[in-house]
């Protein structure tokens, strides 16, 4: 009798384990993606660290490539802070290997904030637009997800939101976004690409008034939408 009960238990366990293994194999064989995280290092954003960075990176799956780019005054020529591929799922240690890789990336990011590798002069201005050019050079748009962690305030000699936006109406903002896209049309293609904008903030809000903030969002919604991308906005505390 005990032998029959043991056999029944083994069969029950098999019924549970086999579907789980099939599910794991299916997940492992999913097409890998490239996840680009653009972190704003400019002084205006005031980010010294991102406490939830590992949570943000956890969207990466086994086999995905994770690239971290800095945003500052010379974004166009900046090299990646990190460029790693999450190890493919080969055994039951998948999640542990992924967690280790993400910890390594977070430590690299933390070190970059603490070091002086990005000097104060470069941090004194903000150039976000080149990030879209960098993602285009990575290849298949539909396989790329872009996450921008920034206040999204372009502030440089070519385009300065702080200086120009207060005197502009919403219609002017829309036209400005379209004219900027026209200037970048040979370098930017966001067709089918997901763009998540993650804006750091506090309970007290920004140093800029709400009207300015709405204009910033309107500019990027217009620019990214006209370039074929899909923009989502979240706020980070």
């Amino acid at each position: 009798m005990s032998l029959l009960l043991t056999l029944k238990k083994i069969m029950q366990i098999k019924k549970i384990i086999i579907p789980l293994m099939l599910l794991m194999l299916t997940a492992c064989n999913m097409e890998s993606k490239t996840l680009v995280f653009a972190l704003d290092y400019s002084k205006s954003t005031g980010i010294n660290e991102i406490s939830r960075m590992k949570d943000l990176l956890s969207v990466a799956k086994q086999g995905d490539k994770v690239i971290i780019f800095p945003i500052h005054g010379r974004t166009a020529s900046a090299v990646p802070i990190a460029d790693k591929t999450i190890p493919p799922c080969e055994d039951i240690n998948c999640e542990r290997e992924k967690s280790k890789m993400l910890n390594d990336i977070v430590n690299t990011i933390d070190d970059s904030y603490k070091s002086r590798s990005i000097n104060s002069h470069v941090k004194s201005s903000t150039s976000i637009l080149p990030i879209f050019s960098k993602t285009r050079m990575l290849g298949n748009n539909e396989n790329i997800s872009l996450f921008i962690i920034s206040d999204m305030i372009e502030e440089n000699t070519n385009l300065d939101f702080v200086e120009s936006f207060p005197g502009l109406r919403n219609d002017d903002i829309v036209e400005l976004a379209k004219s900027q896209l026209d200037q970048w049309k040979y370098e930017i293609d966001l067709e089918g690409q997901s763009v998540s904008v993650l804006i750091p903030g506090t309970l007290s809000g920004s140093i800029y008034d709400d009207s300015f903030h709405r204009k910033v969002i309107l500019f990027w919604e217009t620019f990214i939408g006209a370039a074929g991308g899909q923009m989502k906005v979240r706020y980070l505390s």
Side-chain angles (χ1 to χ4, degrees), residues 48-63:
N48 294 316
E49 64 175 352
I50 301 172
S51 58
R52 295 175 52 215
M53 193 66 219
K54 187 173 180 180
D55 291 340
L56 298 176
L57 291 172
S58 65
V59 297
K61 297 179 175 61
Q62 282 81 9

Side-chain angles (χ1 to χ4, degrees), residues 38-198:
L39 312 185
D40 198 334
Y41 281 70
S42 60
K43 289 180 180 178
S44 65
T45 300
I47 301 175
N48 294 316
E49 64 175 352
I50 301 172
S51 58
R52 295 175 52 215
M53 193 66 219
K54 187 173 180 180
D55 291 340
L56 298 176
L57 291 172
S58 65
V59 297
K61 297 179 175 61
Q62 282 81 9
D64 285 351
K65 177 183 277 289
V66 177
I67 304 175
I68 314 293
F69 279 116
I71 292 174
H72 45 56
R74 297 179 184 170
T75 304
S77 56
V79 299
I81 297 164
D83 187 341
K84 303 283 187 180
T85 299
I86 308 298
C89 183
E90 295 178 348
D91 52 42
I92 59 174
N93 295 315
C94 287
E95 286 303 316
R96 186 168 60 186
E97 290 298 316
K98 172 184 170 181
S99 181
K100 183 179 181 299
M101 176 68 75
L102 295 185
N103 283 334
D104 289 344
I105 294 173
V106 170
N107 289 336
T108 301
I109 293 170
D110 288 343
D111 289 344
S112 71
Y113 276 114
K114 293 172 185 175
S115 72
R116 296 186 179 181
S117 55
I118 303 175
N119 65 54
S120 58
H121 175 69
V122 172
K123 291 181 179 180
S124 65
S125 57
T126 311
S127 185
I128 300 168
L129 286 164
I131 281 296
F132 302 110
S133 176
K134 284 178 177 289
T135 58
R136 183 188 69 83
M137 291 186 283
L138 294 174
N140 183 1
N141 282 347
E142 294 182 1
N143 240 18
I144 297 173
S145 292
L146 173 61
F147 302 83
I148 304 176
I149 303 173
S150 168
D151 58 12
M152 300 304 290
I153 299 174
E154 189 86 0
E155 194 174 3
N156 54 69
T157 54
N158 295 319
L159 181 60
D160 191 332
F161 287 4
V162 175
E163 184 177 304
S164 61
F165 275 21
L168 297 179
R169 301 170 304 172
N170 285 350
D171 288 348
D172 299 325
I173 299 293
V174 170
E175 288 306 312
L176 177 62
K178 290 179 179 178
S179 68
Q180 283 295 313
L181 180 58
D182 189 58
Q183 292 180 36
W184 285 82
K185 63 185 178 183
Y186 297 114
E187 300 175 62
I188 291 176
D189 177 14
L190 300 178
E191 194 65 42
Q193 188 171 310
S194 170
V195 179
S196 297
V197 173
L198 310 174

